Amino acid sequence: MDLSRRFSQGSLASPPTLGSPPALGHLVDMTMMDVSATFHGSSLRARIQEEFGLSEMTAGNDTERAMSLFQQRMESFIVRKADVLFQTRATSHVHRAHAGKDEEDYYAVLPPLEQFMAVPILPAKERFYKMVQSGDIVVGKIVSLKDFGFFVKLLCLTSRRARDIQDMDITALCPSSDLPSHGAHQRPIEYYHTNDIIQAVVKTVSAVDDRIVVSLKPNHLPQLLADVYLGIVTSDDLPVHFRRSQDLQTSQASYDQLLQRVWGFSNPSNVAYLGEVLDIADKHPPSLMRGLHRCPFPQEDFAESLRQHQSSKWALACVGTGVQHFKAGRHVDAMQCLEKALTFDPENVEALVVRGALYANKNSLLRAMEDFAQALKLNPGHNNARKYMCDTLLARGKQLQEEGEDEEAMTAYQRALVINPHLQEASHALEQVKTKLEVRKKQAVLQAQQVLLLE
């Protein structure tokens, strides 16, 4: 194996030095590799060590022969890309518990896809027993209390494998020995009651006799999920995907309909958020094709530029709906659409202009002027922004005159003339204010002279 050529082609790991070979942990993230090896089989680890020149693997063993062609190709792919797939990172957020209340609208959290498919219960149940492993987190409801523990009807899987299993009628046992002690109760089992909802960790699984044992003791949690809470939870603490599954049973909505209802799907930052969660950077497009690492990509092909283009399209659609509401007199609905448009694209000139017009229509002139000013800052030649800004400045000037603030009114008229020097209404109003101020100034001078003569 020519390792020098391998590392010269953009590999993220460093080539091993002469002398004693480096440990595999210095070349890849062992935590991530362990997860993959657990799923794909122990032979994967040996083949990766061989790929890095750290060990030799005997060819033609029984395990490799027993693998299907697809499994062999998958394993070969992982081995070739091990330095990219398992590159060491400062922190790893790949395995996280289920989305909580604080982040359920950051991205589209939906029920598992099989909820929208007519999957028969029996094969689904068989698949579940093959999939569930020790260390998985489950949520269930206590259905029976015994001296030796209690039985739990499982509702869903959380964390690494989000699944809703309420309809499968699967029961797990939580022995008394796996219950944490509580000071107020001599026996831990006395703390629990029928219909309590608990979150537990899977301790053992037997697919032969369909038996699952769970525990409420944190020492059975895998290291990556060490902070997960185990114990009694409320219905509000249930995973977001499970709560939405319950809503799905009532609404009978399709996948696309439910996706459109979820706020997180419309969040313009959902890609950035998920990229941060999964440690995927979008500044330099990640790829398993090392040749692409050296290719310069056009700026418009980057995720940020594509996302801006998409956000602009969404914003314009919201502006169109807002204008329709505005013309129909539904000002509250119009304002909601315009606010949503500016959430997607804060620099959308059309949204700023229409919202400014809506503010002006409600006589909120200062807010209207702020929106028009921002729109003109982004696009100084926007005709409607210029026209509406002049109209609003004229209205504001008249308002100030009525309040006796003639100097500020004069400033408003002057601003309107800066935007449109040929605006006759502003010119006449400015002349009137100037004349009024000059007359007032002359009167003040005469009054001062009279006072001096009297003295």
Side-chain angles (χ1 to χ4, degrees):
M1 179 180 299
D2 188 358
L3 284 176
S4 62
R5 184 173 67 86
R6 164 187 166 80
F7 284 99
S8 67
Q9 292 179 346
S11 170
L12 297 179
S14 301
T17 58
L18 296 175
S20 59
L24 187 60
H26 294 160
L27 301 176
V28 299
D29 188 322
M30 291 299 296
T31 301
M32 296 175 64
M33 198 191 76
D34 286 343
V35 173
S36 184
T38 300
F39 184 84
H40 291 284
S42 58
S43 64
L44 178 64
R45 183 194 304 273
R47 290 194 60 184
I48 291 175
Q49 289 178 331
E50 181 194 19
E51 178 75 1
F52 282 96
L54 302 180
S55 67
E56 293 184 0
M57 182 178 179
T58 58
N61 58 48
D62 294 338
T63 302
E64 185 172 352
R65 284 196 299 269
M67 288 193 301
S68 67
L69 177 61
F70 174 78
Q71 289 173 314
Q72 292 181 36
R73 293 177 64 184
M74 175 63 74
E75 189 171 286
S76 298
F77 173 82
I78 295 174
V79 170
R80 291 197 312 271
K81 306 294 184 180
D83 56 331
V84 179
L85 290 169
F86 307 130
Q87 59 179 293
T88 304
R89 295 174 173 140
T91 56
S92 179
H93 306 286
V94 174
H95 298 287
R96 294 182 60 154
H98 58 75
K101 293 180 182 179
D102 295 338
E103 61 177 354
E104 64 181 271
D105 288 332
Y106 289 0
Y107 60 99
V109 181
L110 294 178
L113 187 60
E114 62 262 28
Q115 296 295 109
F116 302 89
M117 306 163 64
V119 180
I121 293 295
L122 185 57
K125 197 170 182 178
E126 291 176 354
R127 169 62 182 161
F128 169 78
Y129 277 106
K130 291 179 181 179
M131 179 190 66
V132 67
Q133 298 178 1
S134 299
D136 286 341
I137 308 300
V138 294
V139 175
K141 181 181 290 187
I142 297 176
V143 294
S144 177
L145 290 165
K146 305 293 182 181
D147 290 337
F148 55 82
F150 54 73
F151 291 96
V152 184
K153 180 182 178 182
L154 300 185
L155 302 178
C156 63
L157 273 172
T158 69
S159 69
R160 293 176 290 185
R161 299 180 181 87
R163 290 291 182 273
D164 298 345
I165 53 179
Q166 184 176 17
D167 296 336
M168 297 183 189
D169 198 22
I170 297 175
T171 303
L173 170 66
C174 183
S176 297
S177 58
D178 282 291
L179 298 176
S181 59
H182 297 276
H185 301 274
Q186 294 182 351
R187 300 170 58 220
I189 193 71
E190 296 175 354
Y191 180 75
Y192 301 91
H193 302 86
T194 304
N195 292 327
D196 281 348
I197 301 175
I198 65 162
Q199 182 165 267
V201 59
V202 174
K203 185 178 178 182
T204 60
V205 180
S206 174
V208 177
D209 52 3
D210 294 351
R211 184 164 54 86
I212 298 176
V213 177
V214 298
S215 174
L216 295 183
K217 289 189 174 180
N219 59 297
H220 293 292
L221 287 167
Q223 184 178 359
L224 292 173
L225 301 175
D227 295 332
V228 172
Y229 168 78
L230 300 179
I232 297 177
V233 296
T234 66
S235 57
D236 292 335
D237 297 322
L238 291 172
V240 178
H241 70 82
F242 180 77
R243 286 189 272 124
R244 287 182 176 160
S245 288
Q246 305 306 298
D247 297 339
L248 180 64
Q249 294 178 1
T250 304
S251 64
Q252 297 296 316
S254 66
Y255 184 89
D256 185 65
Q257 289 171 336
L258 187 58
L259 185 65
Q260 297 293 337
R261 293 178 192 173
V262 176
W263 278 103
F265 181 65
S266 300
N267 176 16
S269 300
N270 54 17
V271 174
Y273 175 78
L274 289 174
E276 182 180 351
V277 169
L278 299 173
D279 270 349
I280 298 175
D282 63 352
K283 297 298 181 184
H284 303 287
S287 172
L288 298 179
M289 300 177 65
R290 295 189 181 90
L292 294 180
H293 293 178
R294 302 188 297 270
C295 295
F297 291 92
Q299 189 63 36
E300 58 269 18
D301 288 348
F302 278 68
E304 188 173 349
S305 299
L306 294 173
R307 192 177 305 120
Q308 178 61 38
H309 178 69
Q310 184 183 51
S311 296
S312 298
K313 290 179 64 176
W314 287 347
L316 286 175
C318 291
V319 171
T321 305
V323 170
Q324 292 177 3
H325 287 311
F326 191 0
K327 291 180 177 179
R330 298 186 292 270
H331 292 172
V332 174
D333 294 334
M335 183 61 74
Q336 290 177 349
C337 289
L338 297 171
E339 294 288 353
K340 188 175 181 180
L342 289 169
T343 300
F344 289 138
D345 183 8
E347 296 186 352
N348 189 282
V349 175
E350 300 301 329
L352 288 168
V353 171
V354 178
R355 190 176 70 171
L358 184 57
Y359 279 137
N361 190 68
K362 296 166 61 177
N363 207 34
S364 298
L365 301 182
L366 293 179
R367 287 189 172 183
M369 289 162 56
E370 290 176 1
D371 278 352
F372 295 143
Q374 179 64 16
L376 289 173
K377 181 179 179 181
L378 296 169
N379 185 359
H382 196 282
N383 291 331
N384 281 342
R386 294 168 62 88
K387 179 180 182 301
Y388 295 158
M389 183 62 156
C390 290
D391 292 343
T392 307
L393 286 169
L394 285 173
R396 177 59 178 164
K398 293 176 181 178
Q399 189 180 69
L400 289 168
Q401 280 189 271
E402 293 174 358
E403 296 172 358
E405 303 290 343
D406 292 324
E407 291 184 359
E408 292 186 16
M410 184 171 64
T411 301
Y413 297 139
Q414 288 171 340
R415 288 180 61 187
L417 288 171
V418 169
I419 298 172
N420 184 1
H422 305 292
L423 190 61
Q424 293 184 356
E425 188 175 355
S427 299
H428 294 327
L430 182 60
E431 290 299 324
Q432 290 177 357
V433 172
K434 284 183 177 180
T435 302
K436 184 177 180 180
L437 289 174
E438 289 176 0
V439 169
R440 186 182 300 170
K441 183 177 180 180
K442 290 179 180 180
Q443 290 177 348
V445 171
L446 290 174
Q447 290 177 357
Q449 291 176 347
Q450 290 176 357
V451 170
L452 289 174
L453 290 174
L454 292 175
E455 292 177 353

